[in-house]
């Protein structure tokens, strides 16, 4: 067995162990599903963790209302294939009920608004653990997370007050109203994820492969154009061959000019790239501490 395969098997084994620990320690866990590659890998690992039994917890998608259509279509097909229950938290509903106020202006995005919708949905269904696909290599704030990341009764995270994790011992004890975010892919890198997708032949939304799309450039980032986005006078919509490297709300998901249309092409492209995976996420550029501030408030 090659070193690469052995390495991926070790990561897979670790992630499956964490997922099973969640199922055994918590009463009402849920898997956070965005339709992106990391959450798709999480769904695949959950399937393998409990096969031939069914996945014993539902999936939760926080829908901003500004998601790529391809993502929603893929989400619905996957949950049907896996036979899992899908719960959708609506940011539009949070706006309509006055729970959040929609941003205006050129840089308006619903990405930050997801936090309130997420916390409200976790509270509504009394979920005590939320499995997410975040990885430590993505961003410096995510690098501070434990596998089992405690959230207080307000859903907030304190990076200076985390529980030690010795070997593979995880402490899921909590008080009434508190919950945990759990990150089985913590030790994976972007390259690990893509190599695992190739190894397991995991299906992905077409957005990850090169395709033609109307885009415009803002602050050095190519963004997909949709009518609800407000263009500055100097910004022009052009047609380019692009792909998504990471997928989120349309307003902040940068696309990469690319000709990669196979998994092998994508792996080679990433290996030679000098830009980080989240280098195309415009929401991360709002401030140096934007991700950490959002996570403290209860973001994914």
């Amino acid at each position: 067995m090659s070193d690469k395969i052995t390495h991926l098997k070790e990561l897979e084994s670790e992630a499956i162990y964490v997922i099973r620990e969640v199922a055994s320690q918590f009463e009402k866990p849920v898997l956070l599903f965005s339709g992106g590659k990391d959450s798709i890998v999480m769904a695949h690992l959950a399937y393998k963790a409990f096969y031939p039994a069914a996945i014993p917890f539902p999936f939760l998608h926080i829908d901003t209302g500004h998601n790529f259509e391809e993502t929603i279509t893929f989400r619905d097909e996957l949950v049907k294939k896996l036979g899992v229950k899908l719960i959708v938290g609506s940011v539009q509903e949070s706006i309509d009920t006055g729970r959040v106020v929609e941003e205006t202006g050129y840089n308006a995005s619903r990405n930050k608004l997801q936090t309130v919708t997420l916390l409200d949905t976790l509270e509504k269904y009394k979920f005590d653990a939320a499995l997410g696909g975040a990885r430590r290599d993505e961003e410096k704030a995510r690098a501070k997370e434990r596998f089992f990341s405690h959230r207080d009764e307000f859903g907030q995270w304190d990076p200076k007050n985390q529980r030690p994790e010795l070997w593979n011992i995880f402490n899921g004890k909590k008080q009434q109203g508190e919950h945990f975010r759990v990150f089985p892919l913590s030790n994976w890198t972007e390259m690990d994820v893509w190599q695992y997708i190739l190894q397991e032949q995991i299906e992905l939304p077409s957005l990850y492969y090169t395709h033609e799309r109307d885009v415009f450039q803002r602050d050095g980032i190519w963004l997909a154009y949709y009518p609800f986005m407000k263009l500055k006078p100097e910004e022009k919509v052009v047609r380019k061959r692009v792909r998504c490297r990471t997928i989120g709300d349309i307003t902040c998901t940068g696309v990469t000019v690319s000709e990669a249309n196979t998994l092998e092409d994508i792996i080679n492209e990433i290996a030679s790239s000098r830009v980080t995976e989240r280098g195309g996420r415009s929401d991360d550029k709002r401030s140096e501490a934007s991700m950490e501030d959002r996570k403290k408030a209860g973001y994914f």
Side-chain angles (χ1 to χ4, degrees):
M1 184 179 291
S2 70
D3 291 341
K4 183 181 76 172
I5 300 299
T6 301
H7 174 62
L8 293 178
K9 283 295 183 184
E10 289 175 353
L11 289 173
E12 178 190 68
S13 178
E14 178 183 65
I16 287 176
Y17 175 81
V18 173
I19 291 170
R20 288 172 175 166
E21 278 293 295
V22 169
S24 67
Q25 291 196 39
F26 296 96
E27 294 182 7
K28 290 197 68 176
V30 67
L31 190 148
L32 300 177
F33 187 83
S34 68
K37 68 181 186 311
D38 298 308
S39 62
I40 292 170
V41 166
M42 285 285 294
H44 181 79
L45 290 165
Y47 172 78
K48 295 187 77 169
F50 302 105
Y51 181 83
I55 297 173
F57 40 72
F59 287 10
L60 170 59
H61 179 217
I62 302 302
D63 184 3
T64 67
H66 290 165
N67 294 105
F68 291 98
E69 294 177 9
E70 295 94 330
T71 304
I72 301 300
T73 299
F74 185 91
R75 176 200 73 185
D76 293 344
E77 291 175 350
L78 182 62
V79 297
K80 182 179 180 180
K81 178 181 177 181
L82 294 176
V84 298
K85 179 181 179 181
L86 174 68
I87 297 169
V88 178
S90 169
V91 172
Q92 183 62 56
E93 184 177 319
S94 297
I95 294 170
D96 295 341
T97 57
R99 289 287 294 144
V100 295
V101 177
E102 183 149 31
E103 296 180 358
T104 59
Y106 292 117
N107 296 309
S109 174
R110 291 184 173 182
N111 193 57
K112 186 177 179 181
L113 307 185
Q114 295 181 86
T115 298
V116 171
T117 308
L118 171 62
L119 294 177
D120 286 350
T121 307
L122 293 175
E123 173 62 25
K124 176 181 178 180
Y125 291 93
K126 305 300 180 187
F127 291 124
D128 55 358
L131 288 149
R135 311 184 318 270
R136 293 186 181 126
D137 78 317
E138 287 183 84
E139 201 272 343
K140 57 188 178 183
R142 296 200 189 280
K144 299 179 181 179
E145 291 274 22
R146 301 288 197 268
F147 278 99
F148 275 34
S149 185
H150 176 263
R151 296 298 194 271
D152 65 20
E153 65 270 28
F154 302 106
Q156 297 180 334
W157 171 62
D158 181 0
K160 296 181 179 179
N161 184 24
Q162 300 192 74
R163 300 176 180 181
E165 291 182 342
L166 306 175
W167 301 285
N168 59 355
I169 301 173
F170 302 113
N171 181 359
K173 293 183 179 179
K174 56 183 176 49
Q175 300 297 324
Q176 185 71 27
E178 298 175 346
H179 74 274
F180 278 80
R181 306 289 174 83
V182 182
F183 305 108
L185 304 185
S186 289
N187 287 335
W188 296 50
T189 65
E190 180 188 13
M191 184 61 80
D192 292 330
V193 170
W194 281 110
Q195 289 179 337
Y196 186 73
I197 290 169
L198 175 62
Q199 174 185 291
E200 299 289 301
Q201 289 297 295
I202 299 172
E203 293 185 16
L204 296 174
S206 58
L207 290 164
Y208 280 110
Y209 303 96
T210 188
H211 58 283
E212 286 195 354
R213 185 174 292 274
D214 288 337
V215 298
F216 67 97
Q217 194 170 48
R218 175 175 294 171
D219 299 327
I221 298 173
W222 287 104
L223 295 169
Y225 173 73
Y226 280 77
F228 57 79
M229 302 174 79
K230 186 177 180 181
L231 294 177
K232 298 177 182 179
E234 69 276 12
E235 293 173 340
K236 305 298 180 184
V237 177
V238 296
R239 193 81 172 171
K240 282 188 174 292
R241 289 182 63 78
V242 298
R243 73 175 192 86
C244 292
R245 192 168 165 186
T246 178
I247 297 176
D249 185 83
I250 289 171
T251 58
C252 61
T253 298
V255 295
T256 302
V257 176
S258 172
E259 290 296 331
N261 54 19
T262 68
L263 291 173
E264 291 86 352
D265 289 343
I266 291 172
I267 289 171
N268 289 333
E269 183 178 89
I270 292 171
S272 61
S273 175
R274 302 181 70 86
V275 178
T276 64
E277 179 181 9
R278 294 189 68 94
R281 289 294 292 268
S282 60
D283 54 321
D284 287 352
K285 300 181 184 299
R286 292 193 173 194
S287 75
E288 281 295 317
S290 59
M291 175 61 80
E292 184 158 332
D293 290 341
R294 279 180 282 155
K295 286 180 67 63
K296 287 179 180 178
Y299 187 70
F300 300 99

